[in-house]
Amino acid sequence: MVQIIPAILSISEADYDRDISRYRKSQSFQDGWIHIDFMDNVFVPNKSIDAAATAKYPTLLQKEAHIMVAHPKEWVDDLVEANFEKIIFHIEVEDDKNECIDYIKSKGVQVGLAINNSTSLKKLEPFLGRVDMILVMSVVPGFQGQPFIPESLERIREISRMRSQGNFSFKIGIDGAVKNTNVKEIASSGVDFITIGSYLLKGDIDQNLEELWEAINE
Ligand code: DX5
Ligand code: ZN
């Protein structure tokens, strides 16, 4: 069954504190993963809090970092120090991707690659046997609450084909603009996990999650 992973994108510690507390108080997210977005204002035009800040605010959830940054390797030590157990960086970075994958693995942390809609899926090929997950971006990264990019569904199906053809074991996720109106189609496209931010955080988190599951199962 598909997994729903709640997301937080915070540009201030106060925002992070508010949102992580809301997830902490929700009934639905007492265990599992939380997806935390980091941005450096270089790779994307927005800047988030840093990894160390997240360590100040408790959560029972296991932390996954989605780092939208130009130099991912430079973020790894702080993320590991802040107890992140998965690190997902972007295939579009110019830095040496293999070196970064090796470095993350050397810390005993799972590693993933995120891919923007404008990037050819062929770019993923050399890394498919080396990563734990591929994250398909269904928005232009940098902000919550953006419009969904419909081509993402076909891209997920294509990555799924690449996985079976190569006998790979990575998981496939989608990130961006998932809501009750598109979640069913997304869930049937072959994804293993779905990352959701603004839809969950608008109003009551537990009720929003219930609406998502109702849409998936209807
Ligand atoms: C986009 C981020 C997403 C975002 C998801 O730059 O990587 O993880 O927080 O938020 P929604 O669900 O609002 O698109
Ligand atoms: Zn993200």
Side-chain angles (χ1 to χ4, degrees):
M1 189 168 51
V2 73
Q3 232 184 316
I4 291 182
I5 302 189
I8 293 195
L9 179 156
S10 310
I11 54 170
S12 72
E13 278 194 42
D15 285 357
Y16 184 79
D17 185 19
R18 181 197 61 216
D19 290 345
I20 199 82
S21 311
R22 290 186 58 213
Y23 282 127
R24 193 167 52 236
K25 287 180 196 139
S26 75
Q27 282 171 17
S28 321
F29 296 113
Q30 292 301 308
D31 53 28
W33 292 90
I34 184 145
H35 174 106
I36 302 172
D37 291 309
F38 293 100
M39 303 167 297
D40 62 355
N41 207 20
V42 176
F43 184 75
V44 291
N46 197 4
K47 192 168 168 60
S48 65
I49 56 166
D50 60 20
T54 65
K56 297 186 204 163
Y57 305 95
T59 174
L60 294 170
L61 303 175
Q62 292 174 276
K63 293 191 283 186
E64 121 182 347
H66 173 201
I67 50 174
M68 294 163 268
V69 303
H71 303 298
K73 192 166 169 241
E74 292 173 9
W75 285 65
V76 173
D77 288 354
D78 286 353
L79 289 165
V80 173
E81 180 73 33
N83 287 319
F84 279 79
E85 296 174 63
K86 279 187 203 169
I87 299 178
I88 302 169
F89 68 98
H90 272 260
I91 186 83
E92 294 86 9
V93 299
E94 280 166 22
D95 292 9
D96 187 327
K97 263 80 74 186
N98 278 313
E99 195 184 318
C100 191
I101 291 170
D102 289 340
Y103 193 61
I104 295 170
K105 285 186 174 182
S106 77
K107 303 285 177 183
V109 169
Q110 294 184 46
V111 59
L113 276 171
I115 182 159
N116 290 340
N117 183 64
S118 52
T119 305
S120 162
L121 296 179
K122 278 202 156 313
K123 292 252 164 78
L124 292 171
E125 278 170 5
F127 309 103
L128 293 178
R130 308 210 59 219
V131 294
D132 300 294
M133 72 219 71
I134 299 292
L135 186 66
V136 174
M137 295 309 299
S138 46
V139 293
V140 177
F143 300 89
Q144 285 198 332
Q146 298 194 83
F148 184 73
I149 301 172
E151 295 93 291
S152 316
L153 293 167
E154 186 45 41
R155 284 163 70 80
I156 288 166
R157 288 190 274 268
E158 180 57 25
I159 296 172
S160 196
R161 282 192 284 272
M162 288 156 85
R163 177 171 64 183
S164 21
Q165 274 161 14
N167 224 352
F168 298 117
S169 57
F170 58 83
K171 298 254 189 291
I172 305 172
I174 187 166
D175 186 17
V178 181
K179 31 179 90 72
N180 62 339
T181 48
N182 59 12
V183 71
K184 188 180 175 69
E185 204 182 356
I186 291 166
S188 17
S189 69
V191 278
D192 302 295
F193 64 94
I194 303 178
T195 305
I196 308 183
S198 51
Y199 187 82
L200 283 172
L201 287 166
K202 214 187 293 162
D204 183 86
I205 292 176
D206 294 306
Q207 194 183 322
N208 295 339
L209 182 69
E210 208 176 299
E211 280 168 19
L212 289 164
W213 282 119
E214 272 168 21
I216 292 174
N217 295 321
E218 82 189 359

